[in-house]
Amino acid sequence: MFDLECKAIEEHATYSPEQTQKLAAKFTSSLKLGDVVGLVGQLGAGKTQFVKGMAQYFGYTENVNSPTFVLMQIYSIEGKDQSIKQLCHVDAYRIVSSTDILNIGIEEYLGRQDTLVVVEWPEKIVNIMPQNTIYIEFSLGMENENKRLITIKKPEK
Ligand SMILES: Nc1ncnc2c1ncn2[C@@H]1O[C@H](COP(=O)(O)OP(=O)(O)OP(=O)(O)O)[C@@H](O)[C@H]1O
Ligand SMILES: [Mg+2]
């Protein structure tokens, strides 16, 4: 499903949540507005920690988590980059039907030039993910419980 034609594949390893956040902040600095990012990986792989780092890049220091009853959260951003207004964080884990997809309201945010959209569990809503989504795959490293392998796949434009 995610075997895209890639322009660039970057492989990273991190050894703490903080390192994952730092990697996310650096990655975010390379994004352009309107980009959509899909985070793929099992429960506890580090997807939400990564989103936290993305938000930190914009100076957003409030809580970032995977809320139990909310599928989408909007983090308002002021300051760092005048042109970005918000980071839209979707966690599609609980999506079971196409009606649920429509109910999230994500489509309002996709492709907007003042917004970045980041989706955990994009495979649950693959039919509405844009073609040029940047997918990032997370997996657990073997030799250490805090090791994570993080592969960034930028699609061919
Ligand atoms: N290198 C690392 N990077 C990120 N998280 C790590 C790392 N090492 C340990 N952790 C821990 O792994 C957990 C990652 O949780 P996180 O909520 O980010 O996972 P997730 O992929 O979003 O899972 P879910 O699908 O349940 O939302 C946290 O408890 C974090 O402290
Ligand atoms: Mg999560």
Side-chain angles (χ1 to χ4, degrees):
M1 187 191 299
F2 296 108
D3 288 334
L4 314 160
E5 286 292 315
C6 289
K7 187 174 69 188
I9 296 183
E10 269 179 42
E11 291 181 333
H12 301 270
T14 67
Y15 298 86
S16 68
E18 292 74 25
Q19 277 184 16
T20 295
Q21 290 161 19
K22 206 171 154 202
L23 172 67
K26 184 156 182 269
F27 163 75
T28 305
S29 72
S30 75
L31 293 178
K32 56 184 190 334
L33 290 169
D35 275 348
V36 180
V37 180
L39 307 181
V40 179
Q42 67 184 76
L43 294 167
K47 302 178 296 296
T48 301
Q49 291 297 327
F50 194 91
V51 178
K52 196 171 181 179
M54 292 180 73
Q56 282 167 359
Y57 171 75
F58 295 110
Y60 187 90
T61 51
E62 286 166 58
N63 234 8
V64 169
N65 49 31
S66 289
T68 317
F69 301 108
V70 187
L71 296 171
M72 182 172 78
Q73 297 188 111
I74 305 297
Y75 309 128
S76 293
I77 290 159
E78 289 159 35
K80 186 135 185 161
D81 178 338
Q82 297 297 325
S83 48
I84 182 162
K85 288 219 179 77
Q86 61 220 344
L87 181 63
C88 169
H89 177 196
V90 176
D91 188 332
Y93 182 66
R94 285 164 222 87
I95 298 275
V96 287
S97 71
S98 48
T99 325
D100 287 345
I101 297 178
L102 294 175
N103 287 342
I104 326 179
I106 180 181
E107 278 155 311
E108 185 188 328
Y109 293 97
L110 291 172
R112 273 176 64 154
Q113 291 311 303
D114 59 2
T115 305
L116 283 178
V117 177
V118 57
V119 182
E120 297 186 48
W121 295 96
E123 53 271 59
K124 301 263 185 171
I125 56 169
V126 72
N127 43 351
I128 63 163
M129 293 298 291
Q131 199 83 54
N132 59 355
T133 298
I134 300 166
Y135 285 103
I136 307 183
E137 292 177 358
F138 294 74
S139 61
L140 274 62
M142 284 296 151
E143 68 269 33
N144 174 332
E145 66 172 304
N146 291 331
K147 181 171 179 182
R148 300 292 186 274
L149 301 166
I150 299 175
T151 306
I152 301 174
K153 297 183 170 181
K154 294 202 172 177
E156 200 95 55
K157 285 275 146 58

